[in-house]
Amino acid sequence: MAQALAMPLAPSLSFICNTRGSNSLPTNTTLSLSIATSPKYHSLNIKCVRVGGVEVPNNKRIEYSLQYVHGIGRSRSRQILADLNMENKITKDLVEEELIAIRDEVSKYMIEGDLRRFNALNIRRLKEIQCYRGIRHIQGLPCRGQRTKNNCRTLKGKKVAIAGKKKAPR
């Protein structure tokens, strides 16, 4: 007869012992395990920095952390730091006043949702007026003059095999 013995060790752990047959542990034997006390984190301070509605990484320099916001690249992040006369520190080392100044400076630019909406409206306008670029967007082809004989698989999608087409004999 199989018995399952479950002992809670911690709120999220349990020890399960399956006993089978007569040659295993008798039913009146108790198991004792030494459990180390969980360490206490008194100074654990996980700070999540949000700039422009995006959580930026804490362990990188602010110049590179700002690039996680859509619409801010390398040159614009450097420009923001130059406008604020701020040194390029690691993000978790910034004080609250510096974070507020960065947030205020970033909010001056078109970023994230506004920028995505602006670009989508421009593409929709091009499609509506049926200009060359709009037609290329509708067809899913590149619209900046790239050749399409060999490449542009990103826009065209995966290759589709044509049934019945054979390679020419040599």
Side-chain angles (χ1 to χ4, degrees):
M1 180 186 294
Q3 287 182 332
L5 176 70
M7 295 182 350
L9 301 177
S12 63
L13 283 174
S14 64
F15 177 74
I16 298 174
C17 176
N18 291 324
T19 58
R20 295 185 191 136
S22 62
N23 58 357
S24 63
L25 293 173
T27 56
N28 58 1
T29 305
T30 59
L31 291 169
S32 63
L33 297 172
S34 62
I35 302 169
T37 59
S38 61
K40 296 182 180 177
Y41 299 105
H42 293 293
S43 63
L44 182 64
N45 186 9
I46 299 173
K47 186 172 73 170
C48 184
V49 179
R50 289 184 69 85
V51 177
V54 177
E55 294 181 4
V56 295
N58 285 337
N59 55 352
K60 295 187 178 183
R61 297 205 173 266
I62 190 65
E63 177 185 343
Y64 301 108
S65 295
L66 285 176
Q67 294 178 27
Y68 280 73
V69 179
H70 181 74
I72 297 180
R74 182 180 296 156
S75 61
R76 182 156 294 166
S77 67
R78 287 180 182 167
Q79 181 183 0
I80 289 170
L81 291 176
D83 290 345
L84 295 173
N85 294 326
M86 188 179 296
E87 62 184 56
N88 191 13
K89 298 197 260 186
I90 295 178
T91 308
K92 63 185 174 186
D93 296 338
L94 293 173
V95 295
E96 194 63 35
E97 293 81 23
E98 292 173 328
L99 285 174
I100 292 170
I102 289 173
R103 287 185 188 120
D104 290 341
E105 188 68 25
V106 166
S107 66
K108 295 177 183 176
Y109 298 103
M110 186 183 296
I111 54 168
E112 284 299 319
D114 296 334
L115 181 62
R116 292 179 203 272
R117 194 174 308 110
F118 178 76
N119 289 338
L121 288 173
N122 280 341
I123 292 172
R124 188 178 305 140
R125 179 182 54 83
L126 292 172
K127 290 177 181 180
E128 286 174 1
I129 64 174
Q130 294 285 309
C131 67
Y132 178 78
R133 285 176 54 204
I135 292 169
R136 300 295 279 186
H137 275 291
I138 291 169
Q139 293 173 345
L141 295 171
C143 56
R144 294 188 178 180
Q146 295 95 330
R147 294 183 180 267
T148 58
K149 181 176 180 181
N150 296 328
N151 292 329
C152 79
R153 279 288 143 211
T154 303
L155 290 170
K156 288 167 71 172
K158 286 196 142 218
K159 287 184 180 180
V160 178
I162 301 172
K165 184 176 178 181
K166 296 180 181 176
K167 290 188 177 181
R170 293 185 190 210

